[in-house]
Amino acid sequence: MKNERHLISLLAIAVTTMAGTSAMAQAAPTGGAQSAGLEEIVVTAQKRAENVQDVPIAVTAFTSKTLTEKSVNAVQGLANLTPNVSLDAGSPFSGSSSVLTAYVRGIGQDDFAFNLDPGVGVYVDGVYLARTVGANTDLLDVERIEVLKGPQGTLFGRNSIGGAISIVTRDPGTDFGGRMEVTGGRFNRFDVRGTIDLPLVTDRLYSSIRFSKTKRDGYVHRIPFPGSQNFVTDPLNAVPRPGYDTHSTEGGDNQWTVRGKLKWLASDNITVRLSGDY
């Protein structure tokens, strides 16, 4: 009984000490400096410029600075930064890294056939990419990316029952300039991407050109099935596969992208933008 009394006393002292420490911790910030406010992020999820905190939609927005810091060069890279979103560029049997399999909250489409619509819409400057082929576009000099979760048919139209990925590119700069990035690696990898701002004669007309080139050899060697030469008379590389210089490897990449944008300040209240990409 004596040992039990000592144990109860020690527990009581410990509880009292913890309660006092908690009270002190709560009272300490009242006399300290105020915490810094959140950075304001402007999005156009509702077709008008608004603060992301005022938009009644589940939105994950990324600025150009964030994309550069995280080395996100394609839409697929957003999957590692966005919760409840799955983006895969390795769609089964597609054979192309430009095919995007997008799922938001478990709703999407993993078939790359031309007669099937995606479940998550991808938009570049408001232009809808109607198929999964080519939806894993290079993020060339973007201003921001907005990932909207949940059905977005009211403002974005059909084929956005899972959500929408809105890519907004940067407007041409008012001064002449540009930047370039070069990346090298294994399997003869060589990537180059850049942008050039070209102001025209008038002070109300501006233009820009963005480009990228991706080249890498395949890292998977194709080995014929043992004994297949007894039944198959055609060589392994008889059927050509697009995008590969050698038919004995898989996993390579060879593509290029060009995008141009023209901005005209017609008046103080009217701005005309014309863009195209290939």
Side-chain angles (χ1 to χ4, degrees), residues 48-103:
R48 58 180 180 268
E50 297 175 292
N51 189 337
V52 68
Q53 300 184 48
D54 299 331
V55 177
I57 303 175
V59 183
T60 303
F62 303 95
T63 61
S64 59
K65 181 180 179 181
T66 302
L67 298 175
T68 302
E69 293 176 348
K70 302 297 183 179
S71 298
V72 178
N73 298 325
V75 178
Q76 177 194 6
L78 299 174
N80 299 326
L81 307 176
T82 313
N84 299 325
V85 174
S86 174
L87 303 173
D88 186 13
S91 182
F93 309 111
S94 66
S96 175
S97 59
S98 66
V99 177
L100 180 67
T101 301
Y103 279 84

Side-chain angles (χ1 to χ4, degrees), residues 177-183 190-196 211:
R179 65 185 183 90
M180 180 179 295
E181 301 176 5
V182 178
T183 305
F190 181 76
D191 301 344
V192 58
R193 51 194 289 127
T195 177
I196 302 175
F211 62 90

Side-chain angles (χ1 to χ4, degrees), residues 200-243:
L200 301 181
V201 179
T202 176
D203 59 350
R204 288 183 172 270
L205 189 60
Y206 308 97
S207 65
S208 63
I209 299 177
R210 298 89 184 255
F211 62 90
S212 70
K213 169 68 175 178
T214 302
K215 178 68 172 67
R216 184 189 63 192
D217 294 339
Y219 51 86
V220 177
H221 292 277
R222 302 191 61 199
I223 301 176
F225 187 78
S228 61
Q229 63 272 13
N230 298 327
F231 306 95
V232 180
T233 58
D234 296 333
L236 180 65
N237 59 354
V239 180
R241 284 169 292 277

Side-chain angles (χ1 to χ4, degrees), residues 162-187:
I165 301 175
S166 178
I167 303 171
V168 181
T169 61
R170 185 182 64 87
D171 284 343
T174 57
D175 299 325
F176 176 80
R179 65 185 183 90
M180 180 179 295
E181 301 176 5
V182 178
T183 305
R186 297 179 60 192
F187 304 103

Side-chain angles (χ1 to χ4, degrees), residues 125 172 207-210 258-262 274-278:
D125 289 335
S207 65
S208 63
I209 299 177
R210 298 89 184 255
V258 176
R259 177 180 298 152
K261 193 170 187 179
L262 191 67
L274 178 64
S275 62
D277 59 79
Y278 184 84

